[in-house]
Amino acid sequence: MKKVNTVKSLIYDLFKDYRFVIAFLIICIFILLVILSFFSPYNPQRMYQVPSGLPPSFKYPLGTNWLGQDVFWQLTFAIKNSLIIALVTAFFSRIIAVIVGILAGYKGGTTDRVITTIGDTTMVLPFLIILIAISMILKDWTNNFFNLGILLAFFSWAWDARVIRSQVLSLREREFIKVAVLSGMPTIRIVRKQLLPHVLPIVFTTFINNMSWAIGMEITLAYLGLGIDPTVPTIGTMLQTAIYRQALFMGLWWWLLTPIVTAILLFVALYWISVSLSEYLDPRARFQRIGFGK
Amino acid sequence: MQPLKKVLLILAILLVLFSLTGITAQVLPQGIPRDKTLILPFLFAPLPVPGNWNLWAGWRAQNCGLHQFVTEPLWTLNPDVVKGGIINALASEGPIYNKDFTRLVIKLRKGIYWSDGVEFTADDVVFTIQTVKNTEGLDYHGAMQDVKKVYAPDKYTVVIDLNKPNARFHTFFLERWGALRPMPKHIFSKVKDILTYDFNPPVSLGPYVYVSHDPAGYWVLWKKRTDWQRTVTGQLFGEPKPEYVLFINYGPPEKQNMAMLRHELDAIQGTAEQMLTMLKMSNTTRSYRDTWPYIDPRDISTRGPAFNHLVFPYNNKDVRWALALSIDIVELAISTYNGMVAMTPGLPLVVGKNFYDWYFKPLEPWLKNLTLDIGGGEKFKPWDPDAPWRLLDWAKKNYKVDIDPKNKEEVQLTLGYGWWKYAPDVAEKLLVKNGFKKIGGKWYLPDGKPWKITILRGPDPTDMANIVILGVAEQWKKFGIDVVFNVSAAAATLALNGQFEVLNTGHGGFAGEPWGLHPDLYLCFNAMNSKFVRPIGEPTLGWACRWSDPRMDKIISELEKTRWSDLTAIKKLGLEGLKIQIEEMVAIPCFNCPIAIVFDEYYWINWPSPKNDYARSDNFTTWPQLKYILHQIKPTGRK
Amino acid sequence: MSFIKRYLIPRLIQYVIVTFLGLTAIFIFPRLLPVDPVKQQLTQYQTFGVYVSPEQQEEIIKTLKQLYGLEGTLWDQYIMFWKRFFSGNFGPSLSRFPTPVNQLIAMALPWTLGLLSVTTFLSWIIAVIAGGIVGYFRKKWMEAIDILIMIIRPIPYYITALIFLILFSYIFPIFPLGGGIGVGRTLSFNLQTILNIIKHATLPALTLLVVGIAWQFQSMKLIVQSIQTEDHVIYAKTAGVDEKNIVFSHIIKNAMLPMITQLGLQFGGIFSGALITEMVFTYPGIGQILYDAIMRADYNLIMGIMCISVVAVTTSVLFLDLIYPFFDPRVRYR
């Protein structure tokens, strides 16, 4: 009963924030589009299905591109695929970051140093280059979204693990932890009951930031022609195809604008959700919003 | 805010300073007149080692003007593809072989001088051959090992004695896009290590000399020699018109477009979309033709998918034919290039006047009679001579076209020779004959697994081969086969090793790149020599697709014994070889590589066109024969 | 003294280990590429019409392997790699044989450093100040700036660059289309040339600035917002300290600390260049060279550039970690 009430009041409070409302709406529209993708009349990887180069109209809500594909239906697949990649990346990199961060922060000592060293090494290598190279090395292994997501996750856990680690470090010194340790609580329970609740807010907000980053990376990789098979629609590959086929100069502005506007909306939505959620979860920030601060 | 004001002030000062360096962002510096300068695109930029012009030691992005102006070959292809033939450049006549092809005598042209005043003589040629033979790491080093002795009996004659008979030894010096060209002996003989020598500044044998280059390698500036009369160009063609030539690479296609719209680029060779865009956005631009299909279709190179003949099921001739018959060539042309391509059925059978007369005309009756056995006693004649006319009909409905459908030669030289019929039902029969099954609209291999074709290609989406193969994949998907792409930056290496099923293009290893202006197809056939085939995993020494046939080997060895000037014998053997290639469907060549060229007539006019057909258009972009056509263009006089 | 023992030495050891691991990874990494530099060179011959007679192909492969130094076992090459590293010589470039890697890097690096260090620092400074102000004061027009930046941020960099290009090189032809310096000019040390260089670098710099500011502005803003609610700030406000003072000496100074770490990492990243910037503006930087090197599996060039990059990053992070205690007394007492 208590949990349902907290959830209800959580949602109610969140909706007071206009940013959350707009972001939520955008995400809902995107989810709707993703569901629509399962009903698409066209196979997204086929070309020359419809007359090419038509501007948006009732029949083709977002027009058609030069390859004879309906931009609207391409978009539904693109959103789905990009979101899959983003979710996989964020999910795995959070898991790694949490495990690593808590381990390093709680155990301290040599474990800490070894782990931070490994993490630093992944941050140190110029990763765009490495991503390019790895997608070359592993050729069609990266065609699978799941694998691409894991690859991206490998490069994004380090920074957030550091953040979690410093959080854990400061928590470790607090009284309630010392009490728990003294009273003989097993470490796992300490981690679960005492540390995780404080760490989770960070995890959640960085999860969303990580998703944004993953989409950005996917777009960059697609622009360079690596990673995903270019005939598979994602926001990145739609953009790349539009650029390489001179959409702008040919006057097919709807082809070029669709992925850009989608990317912007997606980022804005993700960002606003993460910001409003993190402010909500951090009580001090909530006071700020209400106007307690200046 | 105080800091903000400071920042604004600094910005204002900077803006003022900028204006001091020139009000408009003109690309040329003061002192170099735009109306006397020809600005051409520098493809394959940047220079790998800016400031190093020693192209004998490796790749130097020589189309920056290096092989157009600095070097001069002994023989070269005629840029005028209507007249055709080989031009004697530094050589004064064709190669002179003895009876058993162990001695080659070359007679040189007199009165040719290097840009530093030293005369070009046989000593330069002898020195070049000896140096390349003795220095490991120089290009053509391997080829020159066949030289037993090379000497100059007089100032303008070179004699080469070979270790073993070679009727085509002189082709190393015959310039298509590359060749072994003479080095200046008076400079290179003083150099200790030729491999690392940078030849800076370069000394030209052609009509232009080096002025300066971009330290980052994106442009090179050339100036006309004051003694241009003492070059091959000057002697054979007259004075080249531009005072300066600038090769510059602006980067992505959008920037090239902007440059031409600002009249800072006089020619662009790009994708079909780029060409259409440029024609639309400016009233001073034009392509080779004024109307559809705009492009110049006469590149000497073909494109179309190729198979790995060591991989099932592509080692089966029926399967290959089925895949060819399931392609609607007219639809393919329309979807990939808006119909602006010329179709061809033969791998080295390029579309052009020379090959039309030498090979296509005698081949045509054979093509019409070519019959396939499609099983169950049925026969089928796959040749479709009307395909170019169907393309023409489509074009007339959508564009203004000025090709006369009754002029057979004009249609075939513009839109292609013809192709195979679009016959998916016959393709089905061929496949079923070999145990394939079609269930529910999808094709299955004889062993019951679904048929999935994996096509290997590189990552560049503007590469013509990649554009065509996307369209081909669509056709095969429509036919019911699952097609996926293996997009890899290492595509070239993988192809060499035979690690692929289907390749995006079959023209590699010279198989699809004939001389074009001489009927000899030896290079194209030799790529398929059986002694060069290597198993998958090892780099092949010939054609990546690893096809061979004893009949072809016989033709190759006969060609080796044929004299270069014996055109009748060469054509007869070439025809036989072509028939074998086509009958076996060793690859599926679809189109000639289209040259989507755009010329800007703001500063220069008299570019090639069908009525003024003095050159194949891409000689203005990367080909070394540029020097032989610069006397044709005229300045408009605009400042 | 104990500071040195408890903080400095472990930190230095970590530095060495991370650098060592990074460099080893760099050695292994190009060899994993599916492209073989020798075969790549062969196909290049083929593509550009240099006739390589098949009989001599095997000879050529052997010669190239020798010249490229790819003989011997992996371990031998590894040892040679370290020898070369310590002598500062990375050997000859494979794809542009025989030019030494050092020469190629020396050619491109100054352009990259010039452009990227200026933009990185400048964008950082602007972002810190602007982020601090907007994070603290929450006036309406500042919310508008926030939204503007948030819309700019996700636009793919290529598009932003293209928009700038169209605006300032085409519609209003103020700036040149690209390149490092203009055509026909040579590098020299007079005012004209320097102004020219600046002129050519302005557009790429502007695009990098805009994108850099967008990213760092948001981080800064978030940090500032969280600091705002900390006790010492509230105390200062209650105590009536002047607003400007609070913003600068309390908030921004504290927010700078995590931002400085970010700056350090970014600074190290300068050495791998800004690939897309260089592609769009044909700017002669090191990013394009690195990309080409990877495409052609030019082992030596890849290793050379990445070594510099790795060392730069680890060193700058080390440097920052070392001066961190001087800024943050809390760390000092650990």
Side-chain angles (χ1 to χ4, degrees):
Chain A
M1 217 35 226
K2 202 168 116 181
K3 282 219 167 131
V4 173
N5 270 342
T6 14
V7 171
K8 266 215 302 235
S9 57
L10 176 113
I11 298 181
Y12 186 66
D13 275 331
L14 278 173
F15 268 94
K16 286 219 202 98
D17 185 349
Y18 78 93
R19 295 171 301 179
F20 185 79
V21 171
I22 299 183
F24 189 70
L25 269 172
I26 297 181
I27 298 281
C28 282
I29 296 180
F30 281 159
I31 295 187
L32 183 67
L33 286 175
V34 169
I35 297 179
L36 268 181
S37 76
F38 291 102
F39 299 100
S40 160
Y42 312 108
N43 179 332
Q45 291 186 275
R46 298 291 303 276
M47 292 181 260
Y48 313 117
Q49 307 261 319
V50 291
S52 47
L54 295 177
S57 59
F58 192 67
K59 191 156 173 230
Y60 305 113
L62 285 174
T64 66
N65 66 18
W66 195 244
L67 298 173
Q69 294 167 314
D70 186 327
V71 175
F72 175 73
W73 291 108
Q74 282 273 301
L75 183 66
T76 59
F77 283 95
I79 298 181
K80 181 177 81 168
N81 293 333
S82 293
L83 279 180
I84 294 180
I85 298 177
L87 281 169
V88 169
T89 310
F91 183 69
F92 281 101
S93 74
R94 292 316 89 197
I95 294 186
I96 304 179
V98 164
I99 298 180
V100 166
I102 293 188
L103 216 72
Y106 196 67
K107 289 278 177 172
T110 354
T111 330
D112 178 17
R113 276 207 232 287
V114 168
I115 293 182
T116 19
T117 312
I118 297 180
D120 284 354
T121 318
T122 63
M123 282 202 290
V124 144
L125 304 169
F127 74 161
L128 181 60
I129 305 295
I130 300 212
L131 274 173
I132 293 176
I134 291 189
S135 58
M136 274 172 71
I137 296 174
L138 300 172
K139 337 179 199 145
D140 37 321
W141 181 81
T142 49
N143 273 347
N144 183 334
F145 298 142
F146 194 72
N147 295 337
L148 187 63
I150 297 190
L151 186 62
L152 288 175
F154 183 72
F155 283 101
S156 45
W157 61 264
W159 180 255
D160 296 315
R162 258 191 175 216
V163 173
I164 294 181
R165 168 181 166 273
S166 55
Q167 178 86 325
V168 168
L169 274 178
S170 62
L171 281 176
R172 198 173 59 166
E173 309 302 321
R174 300 258 279 267
E175 266 105 37
F176 68 95
I177 296 285
K178 296 215 165 118
V179 165
V181 173
L182 285 172
S183 64
M185 213 194 241
T187 326
I188 308 264
R189 272 192 81 192
I190 300 184
V191 168
R192 234 170 21 111
K193 285 255 153 93
Q194 315 285 10
L195 288 178
L196 271 182
H198 288 265
V199 160
L200 272 176
I202 304 181
V203 168
F204 202 67
T205 50
T206 55
F207 181 91
I208 297 188
N209 284 338
N210 204 223
M211 279 179 71
S212 304
W213 176 86
I215 296 182
M217 273 293 109
E218 181 263 309
I219 293 181
T220 313
L221 270 182
Y223 171 70
L224 293 170
L226 303 158
I228 316 269
D229 179 355
T231 56
V232 173
T234 68
I235 298 181
T237 55
M238 274 185 85
L239 188 63
Q240 186 236 25
T241 320
I243 292 177
Y244 271 109
R245 299 295 227 142
Q246 303 289 296
L248 184 64
F249 277 94
M250 295 281 286
L252 301 179
W253 50 268
W254 53 92
W255 187 15
L256 188 62
L257 267 174
T258 306
I260 296 181
V261 170
T262 311
I264 294 181
L265 285 178
L266 196 54
F267 278 106
V268 166
L270 289 175
Y271 179 67
W272 266 348
I273 288 192
S274 92
V275 158
S276 51
L277 266 178
S278 69
E279 281 188 6
Y280 183 78
L281 293 170
D282 184 0
R284 301 179 296 177
R286 222 185 315 170
F287 281 141
Q288 243 187 358
R289 249 192 326 117
I290 304 178
F292 185 74
K294 195 29 177 328
Chain B
M1 289 271 117
Q2 285 290 47
L4 205 60
K5 280 209 195 121
K6 280 200 211 143
V7 169
L8 285 172
L9 192 58
I10 298 180
L11 276 174
I13 297 180
L14 280 175
L15 267 165
V16 173
L17 282 177
F18 284 169
S19 53
L20 291 177
T21 62
I23 301 188
T24 49
Q26 265 194 331
V27 69
L28 292 176
Q30 313 276 51
I32 299 190
R34 175 65 178 95
D35 58 326
K36 299 208 180 74
T37 310
L38 183 64
I39 303 185
L40 296 176
F42 176 17
L43 280 59
F44 312 137
L47 301 170
V49 191
N52 184 322
W53 309 101
N54 183 357
L55 65 115
W56 291 272
W59 171 249
R60 295 288 180 269
Q62 37 261 48
N63 55 305
C64 65
L66 192 47
H67 72 180
Q68 283 104 330
F69 301 139
V70 171
T71 60
E72 189 79 61
L74 293 180
W75 297 276
T76 186
L77 301 178
N78 193 348
D80 182 338
V81 291
V82 179
K83 285 213 210 98
I86 308 282
I87 292 182
N88 298 320
L90 287 176
S92 58
E93 52 187 274
I96 305 168
Y97 284 93
N98 64 352
K99 213 182 303 183
D100 58 0
F101 303 119
T102 52
R103 166 171 293 198
L104 169 62
V105 174
I106 308 174
K107 296 231 175 269
L108 299 174
R109 200 177 287 277
K110 305 185 176 68
I112 308 292
Y113 285 77
W114 295 93
S115 58
D116 59 359
V118 174
E119 191 186 4
F120 167 74
T121 65
D123 287 338
D124 292 308
V125 180
V126 170
F127 172 77
T128 306
I129 296 179
Q130 276 174 342
T131 312
V132 171
K133 176 176 175 202
N134 298 331
T135 317
E136 248 178 30
L138 287 182
D139 282 350
Y140 293 96
H141 167 73
M144 293 297 119
Q145 298 309 307
D146 277 348
V147 172
K148 191 160 66 176
K149 199 164 98 155
V150 56
Y151 58 95
D154 64 57
K155 222 161 89 164
Y156 300 106
T157 313
V158 179
V159 178
I160 307 176
D161 283 329
L162 300 170
N163 284 324
K164 54 184 211 292
N166 186 341
R168 280 160 181 68
F169 188 76
H170 73 285
T171 57
F172 294 130
F173 308 96
L174 166 55
E175 187 179 65
R176 185 180 183 273
W177 203 88
L180 178 54
R181 308 158 177 117
M183 303 169 175
K185 175 179 177 187
H186 58 287
I187 296 179
F188 276 66
S189 57
K190 304 200 185 89
V191 171
K192 251 196 304 228
D193 181 7
I194 294 206
L195 261 185
T196 53
Y197 177 50
D198 63 358
F199 194 31
N200 190 13
V203 170
S204 297
L205 203 48
Y208 285 82
V209 282
Y210 162 81
V211 176
S212 65
H213 71 278
D214 181 16
Y218 287 98
W219 55 261
V220 187
L221 183 61
W222 305 89
K223 183 166 188 246
K224 186 162 59 176
R225 269 169 76 169
T226 41
D227 64 339
W228 54 267
Q229 305 90 331
R230 307 203 293 188
T231 65
V232 171
T233 312
Q235 283 194 8
L236 292 181
F237 298 102
E239 183 180 3
K241 293 293 190 311
E243 191 64 37
Y244 290 91
V245 176
L246 172 68
F247 280 93
I248 182 167
N249 177 304
Y250 283 104
E254 291 82 14
K255 284 187 57 187
Q256 289 173 19
N257 294 356
M258 280 191 262
M260 186 175 259
L261 291 171
R262 279 173 25 153
H263 305 298
E264 287 177 11
L265 184 59
D266 293 320
I268 289 182
Q269 182 176 355
T271 60
E273 284 97 81
Q274 212 177 347
M275 182 183 72
L276 290 173
T277 311
M278 288 313 297
L279 291 176
K280 199 169 60 168
M281 288 183 76
S282 165
N283 54 6
T284 52
T285 50
R286 56 164 274 237
S287 182
Y288 169 68
R289 303 181 77 96
D290 288 323
T291 54
W292 191 94
Y294 303 112
I295 57 146
D296 187 339
R298 303 167 300 180
D299 195 2
I300 36 184
S301 186
T302 59
R303 295 289 186 275
F307 304 105
N308 188 338
H309 292 260
L310 293 179
V311 171
F312 177 81
Y314 310 105
N315 49 359
N316 182 331
K317 174 173 139 185
D318 284 341
V319 172
R320 299 197 294 267
W321 268 102
L323 285 174
L325 291 172
S326 58
I327 298 178
D328 181 350
I329 194 71
V330 175
E331 197 178 278
L332 185 64
I334 295 173
S335 62
T336 53
Y337 270 86
N338 250 49
M340 304 185 290
V341 270
M343 54 185 81
T344 172
L347 196 49
L349 188 63
V350 293
V351 177
K353 184 86 173 80
N354 283 174
F355 268 47
Y356 184 69
D357 291 331
W358 295 332
Y359 286 118
F360 180 67
K361 284 222 192 96
L363 202 57
E364 203 174 8
W366 178 85
L367 284 168
K368 288 201 175 124
N369 276 318
L370 180 64
T371 315
L372 295 176
D373 177 3
I374 55 179
E378 269 188 81
K379 304 259 182 247
F380 178 70
K381 290 201 176 149
W383 179 245
D384 181 1
D386 300 322
W389 277 268
R390 285 210 306 277
L391 190 53
L392 186 58
D393 283 338
W394 172 86
K396 281 201 181 279
K397 291 199 201 96
N398 296 288
Y399 296 95
K400 175 160 161 266
V401 185
D402 65 356
I403 304 173
D404 180 7
K406 296 198 201 65
N407 185 339
K408 180 162 179 257
E409 188 170 309
E410 191 188 0
V411 175
Q412 284 179 324
L413 281 179
T414 314
L415 296 176
Y417 297 139
W419 217 70
W420 312 113
K421 294 195 180 108
Y422 175 50
D425 47 337
V426 177
E428 265 193 55
K429 294 204 182 105
L430 277 171
L431 288 173
V432 164
K433 172 178 159 210
N434 283 277
F436 287 74
K437 296 186 231 358
K438 189 170 190 179
I439 307 173
K442 293 266 174 213
W443 278 98
Y444 288 80
L445 296 167
D447 62 7
K449 294 210 205 82
W451 190 8
K452 188 165 88 156
I453 302 182
T454 309
I455 305 182
L456 174 66
R457 57 163 260 225
D460 184 1
T462 59
D463 182 349
M464 201 234 167
N466 291 338
I467 296 178
V468 170
I469 202 67
L470 269 179
V472 169
E474 268 310 299
Q475 298 276 317
W476 286 341
K477 281 188 204 168
K478 199 167 79 173
F479 184 60
I481 312 173
D482 190 12
V483 181
V484 289
F485 282 98
N486 177 6
V487 182
S488 169
T493 310
L494 290 172
L496 213 56
N497 287 344
Q499 288 159 318
F500 64 94
E501 287 179 12
V502 175
L503 199 51
N504 61 340
T505 176
H507 77 281
F510 290 103
E513 308 223 277
W515 295 108
L517 303 196
H518 187 279
D520 186 43
L521 291 176
Y522 172 73
L523 279 183
C524 307
F525 292 160
N526 197 27
M528 302 180 185
N529 199 325
S530 60
K531 63 183 182 187
F532 299 143
V533 176
R534 290 285 179 276
I536 296 182
E538 272 181 55
T540 184
L541 300 180
W543 198 35
C545 299
R546 294 159 161 78
W547 175 82
S548 64
D549 189 306
R551 296 175 288 171
M552 189 58 99
D553 286 348
K554 203 158 135 293
I555 294 181
I556 296 172
S557 58
E558 276 191 48
L559 269 174
E560 269 172 13
K561 306 195 201 89
T562 323
R563 200 165 284 277
W564 178 258
S565 45
D566 186 355
L567 296 190
T568 325
I570 289 181
K571 280 191 264 184
K572 177 165 149 291
L573 290 166
L575 209 55
E576 272 182 53
L578 273 175
K579 286 183 185 160
I580 299 175
Q581 280 186 348
I582 293 178
E583 200 172 18
E584 293 289 318
M585 190 58 80
V586 301
I588 309 183
C590 298
F591 304 119
N592 226 36
C593 208
I595 308 171
I597 195 106
V598 189
F599 299 118
D600 187 22
E601 291 191 313
Y602 194 76
Y603 284 107
W604 297 95
I605 53 172
N606 207 40
W607 302 94
S609 73
K611 298 194 190 64
N612 182 12
D613 213 349
Y614 63 86
R616 196 183 67 236
S617 308
D618 58 358
N619 279 291
F620 280 100
T621 52
T622 69
W623 289 74
Q625 293 87 5
L626 174 68
K627 42 187 175 286
Y628 309 120
I629 55 178
L630 282 178
H631 60 288
Q632 294 273 7
I633 54 174
K634 301 192 181 82
T636 56
R638 281 196 187 94
K639 282 292 163 215
Chain C
M1 256 302 112
S2 67
F3 161 69
I4 297 196
K5 247 207 333 215
R6 282 181 58 207
Y7 191 65
L8 187 61
I9 305 242
R11 191 64 191 79
L12 280 176
I13 296 182
Q14 190 185 13
Y15 168 68
V16 172
I17 296 182
V18 171
T19 315
F20 176 77
L21 284 177
L23 292 176
T24 305
I26 287 178
F27 171 77
I28 299 177
F29 156 79
R31 287 163 171 76
L32 296 173
L33 290 172
V35 187
D36 179 327
V38 175
K39 297 195 193 123
Q40 191 68 21
Q41 185 72 307
L42 266 176
T43 45
Q44 196 170 65
Y45 281 143
Q46 274 192 350
T47 322
F48 294 112
V50 172
Y51 187 65
V52 175
S53 71
E55 290 93 355
Q56 266 107 24
Q57 214 172 48
E58 277 154 350
E59 268 296 312
I60 294 182
I61 293 183
K62 216 168 58 153
T63 314
L64 285 178
K65 269 212 177 122
Q66 236 177 9
L67 287 174
Y68 289 174
L70 292 175
E71 297 177 314
T73 64
L74 212 59
W75 183 251
D76 292 334
Q77 294 178 28
Y78 188 55
I79 302 287
M80 186 159 67
F81 166 68
W82 280 108
K83 272 200 218 147
R84 280 209 184 127
F85 175 72
F86 283 115
S87 63
N89 159 33
F90 291 106
S93 153
L94 302 185
S95 61
R96 306 177 195 211
F97 196 78
T99 321
V101 166
N102 292 21
Q103 187 182 333
L104 291 171
I105 296 182
M107 195 176 75
L109 201 53
W111 295 98
T112 302
L113 279 182
L115 181 68
L116 289 185
S117 48
V118 167
T119 52
T120 310
F121 276 119
L122 209 55
S123 67
W124 187 84
I125 294 177
I126 298 181
V128 163
I129 299 180
I133 297 176
V134 172
Y136 183 72
F137 302 105
R138 298 175 124 248
K139 304 222 179 73
K140 271 281 178 259
W141 62 271
M142 294 184 178
E143 296 273 309
I145 295 186
D146 190 24
I147 296 186
L148 184 67
I149 294 212
M150 197 169 46
I151 294 187
I152 293 182
R153 208 173 113 160
I155 299 183
Y157 178 71
Y158 182 80
I159 304 287
T160 321
L162 202 57
I163 293 179
F164 269 84
L165 200 61
I166 295 181
L167 270 179
F168 297 115
S169 283
Y170 178 57
I171 300 184
F172 306 109
I174 311 176
F175 292 103
L177 278 175
I181 61 175
V183 168
R185 298 174 178 102
T186 45
L187 281 175
S188 51
F189 259 120
N190 51 30
L191 185 62
Q192 267 278 37
T193 318
I194 296 187
L195 281 179
N196 233 317
I197 294 183
I198 297 182
K199 190 162 147 190
H200 279 84
T202 310
L203 269 193
L206 269 179
T207 57
L208 286 170
L209 264 179
V210 164
V211 173
I213 291 179
W215 281 87
Q216 289 167 301
F217 171 86
Q218 301 216 292
S219 320
M220 179 66 177
K221 197 187 81 161
L222 284 174
I223 299 177
V224 162
Q225 281 178 333
S226 71
I227 292 185
Q228 254 190 330
T229 54
E230 278 183 27
D231 300 331
H232 62 103
V233 175
I234 302 188
Y235 182 70
K237 263 199 262 207
T238 340
V241 177
D242 163 41
E243 194 124 70
K244 201 155 84 160
N245 204 334
I246 298 184
V247 171
F248 280 96
S249 46
H250 283 261
I251 296 195
I252 290 195
K253 195 157 149 209
N254 281 309
M256 278 222 299
L257 301 171
M259 295 296 287
I260 287 186
T261 323
Q262 261 195 20
L263 180 65
L265 281 173
Q266 279 201 302
F267 186 73
I270 288 180
F271 286 84
S272 26
L275 179 59
I276 300 189
T277 315
E278 293 168 26
M279 280 167 72
V280 175
F281 294 101
T282 56
Y283 197 74
I286 209 157
Q288 182 81 52
I289 298 206
L290 185 55
Y291 183 72
D292 271 343
I294 292 182
M295 288 298 144
R296 312 220 202 142
D298 185 340
Y299 293 170
N300 292 345
L301 190 53
I302 297 176
M303 292 196 292
I305 299 180
M306 289 178 76
C307 280
I308 297 185
S309 174
V310 164
V311 169
V313 172
T314 51
T315 313
S316 58
V317 170
L318 173 72
F319 178 68
L320 287 171
D321 272 356
L322 287 180
I323 58 173
Y324 209 84
F326 295 107
F327 280 93
D328 188 352
R330 292 177 292 181
V331 180
R332 220 182 294 169
Y333 288 123
R334 196 155 73 89

